[in-house]
Amino acid sequence: MHYKTISSKQTKKLAGLLAAEILKSRLKQKNALVLALSGDLGAGKTTFVQGFLRGLSIKQKITSPTFVLIKSYKLRIKSHYKNVYHIDCYRIKKAEELLELNLKEIIKKSQNIVLIEWPERVKKVLPKNTIWLKFKHGEKENIREILFN
Ligand code: ADP
Ligand code: MG
């Protein structure tokens, strides 16, 4: 699928709708639901996560985990999913560094939703059923293209 948004608000809305769909659908999988968000700096990955977490009724302020690498949120809605992890691999050089962050453990549990920015850097540890989203700058300042499989 290929979407074009014309504002950060619209990107957040799209993400919120996707989050709602994910909650409704009963994806039967053994591991966590992983969304890999790839794209350049400023392409809208963190903005998308903000909308996605709002869509999951998470009320806290959602800031980029660029420096802390990982942020976790508890899901307080009735769902099979219990936790959401927002991970930013921008500063990661080797997948091994994420082992220290327990990424493997986090990915194993089917109650977890994991959103990862700069996922190419840890591709080795991502499950096969990872949903890949690609973010691109559009032809004008506030346009972004979002593609997913
Ligand atoms: P990334 O995490 O990919 O580096 P961010 O989401 O942090 O990107 O930043 C995207 C920036 O682009 C924000 O300042 C946001 O307000 C702006 N922006 C402008 N138009 C859009 C759009 N259509 N979708 C998402 N962000 C947009
Ligand atoms: Mg970001």
Side-chain angles (χ1 to χ4, degrees):
M1 273 175 281
H2 186 175
Y3 293 92
K4 209 178 240 190
T5 66
I6 55 162
S7 63
S8 59
K9 196 175 161 192
Q10 211 177 58
T11 295
K12 286 179 190 171
K13 192 169 177 187
L14 175 68
L17 290 172
L18 180 66
E21 279 306 310
I22 283 173
L23 281 189
K24 268 195 273 170
S25 63
R26 294 202 172 273
L27 296 168
K28 284 211 179 73
Q29 50 185 33
K30 280 186 274 172
N31 53 272
L33 174 75
V34 183
L35 278 83
L37 314 175
S38 81
D40 294 339
L41 269 179
K45 303 179 293 298
T46 300
T47 302
F48 182 93
V49 174
Q50 288 166 338
F52 193 94
L53 297 197
R54 284 289 175 263
L56 296 176
S57 300
I58 289 165
K59 302 280 189 283
Q60 286 117 289
K61 187 166 183 248
I62 296 135
T63 54
S64 174
T66 308
F67 297 100
V68 292
L69 304 178
I70 187 160
K71 284 192 176 169
S72 67
Y73 303 87
K74 282 233 173 307
L75 273 181
R76 308 210 181 272
I77 45 180
K78 197 169 166 280
S79 165
H80 155 81
Y81 296 108
K82 303 292 175 219
N83 312 290
V84 185
Y85 294 87
H86 180 194
I87 300 172
D88 190 341
C89 297
Y90 187 61
R91 290 167 174 274
I92 296 274
K93 302 237 164 38
K94 287 183 263 162
E96 285 74 36
E97 286 179 50
L98 272 186
L99 300 182
E100 291 164 30
L101 296 172
N102 286 336
L103 182 67
K104 274 193 172 170
E105 292 304 312
I106 291 169
I107 281 175
K108 261 190 219 161
K109 298 196 178 103
S110 69
Q111 319 94 287
N112 294 339
I113 298 176
V114 186
L115 297 127
I116 308 188
E117 299 187 39
W118 300 96
E120 298 80 7
R121 309 204 173 166
V122 293
K123 210 169 176 177
K124 276 202 295 192
V125 300
L126 299 181
K128 282 205 186 70
N129 53 9
T130 295
I131 299 169
W132 284 82
L133 288 91
K134 177 119 191 84
F135 293 76
K136 290 182 184 168
H137 283 90
E139 67 273 22
K140 285 193 196 134
E141 200 186 335
N142 293 326
I143 294 178
R144 299 291 186 276
E145 291 178 43
I146 304 165
L147 298 105
F148 57 103
N149 51 354

